[in-house]
Amino acid sequence: MKSIFDETTKNELEERIALLNENSERKWGKMTVGQMAWHCQYPLKLAIENKPTSKKGNLLVQLFFKKSMYNDKTWRKNLPTAPQLKAKEPKNFDDEVKVLQQLMHDTHQLKNREEWNPHPFFGRFTKEQWGQMQYKHLDHHLTQFSV
């Protein structure tokens, strides 16, 4: 499984993002490309901030979905999105892509961090699983926009 912590994989993601433009059309879903770039920032921010949480995650989500966050099986189209991660208004493509690129860079720099707090929805992940999850989420949405 690819990981954002791998230099080659990070570079691949950056190259794919560079292929996007404000007119990139989605293959599924409702988000515009700018909204997708905004949406993809949240998991990266979680990793960077690494805040302790009192939440233990959702047991059902952990049982039925957690392993899909870091395995090689692709996610199906039109998976449900948590309400707080849905962009409700238009997003400026250029601004959101710049933030996304910086967050990807910052996340990649965490490749040597040893202490990782639990994810607020999915619970504990290893460092490797955090990196794989970040790649898989970005890959899913870049594929959504044909890059």
Side-chain angles (χ1 to χ4, degrees):
M1 179 73 206
K2 292 183 177 183
S3 168
I4 197 167
F5 297 142
D6 174 71
E7 186 77 27
T8 303
T9 300
K10 179 193 65 89
N11 292 341
E12 170 208 317
L13 290 168
E14 291 172 340
E15 290 168 10
R16 290 170 67 188
I17 287 173
L19 295 172
L20 293 170
N21 65 65
E22 62 187 48
N23 297 314
S24 294
E25 292 191 30
R26 63 187 173 265
K27 294 194 288 189
W28 71 82
K30 297 177 183 176
M31 290 188 283
T32 66
V33 67
Q35 290 171 324
M36 177 274 291
W38 175 86
H39 165 85
C40 286
Q41 295 169 20
Y42 183 79
L44 298 166
K45 288 176 184 176
L46 280 177
I48 292 165
E49 293 170 357
N50 198 35
K51 291 181 180 177
T53 179
S54 59
K55 298 178 186 177
K56 295 187 179 178
N58 181 308
L59 186 58
L60 291 175
V61 169
Q62 290 179 31
L63 287 172
F64 295 106
F65 193 64
K66 183 177 177 178
K67 287 184 182 177
S68 73
M69 297 299 290
Y70 53 84
N71 66 20
D72 285 325
K73 186 177 177 186
T74 57
W75 292 339
R76 65 178 172 84
K77 300 172 185 175
N78 295 312
L79 286 170
T81 301
Q84 68 268 34
L85 302 181
K86 290 181 181 180
K88 294 173 181 57
E89 67 272 342
K91 300 291 181 184
N92 180 284
F93 170 77
D94 291 328
D95 293 345
E96 299 302 339
V97 165
K98 284 178 189 170
V99 172
L100 178 59
Q101 289 169 324
Q102 184 62 52
L103 290 169
M104 285 174 46
H105 170 80
D106 295 347
T107 302
H108 175 75
Q109 296 302 313
L110 300 173
K111 61 184 172 254
N112 296 318
R113 180 198 280 165
E114 293 301 324
E115 296 297 319
W116 292 83
N117 283 307
H119 189 283
F121 303 126
F122 301 106
R124 292 223 169 266
F125 285 118
T126 65
K127 175 176 62 175
E128 290 75 20
Q129 291 166 342
W130 271 101
Q132 292 164 345
M133 174 184 61
Q134 298 297 344
Y135 170 79
K136 192 164 183 178
H137 185 244
L138 289 163
D139 176 64
H140 174 76
H141 287 293
L142 292 173
T143 300
Q144 178 185 15
F145 284 87
S146 301
V147 296

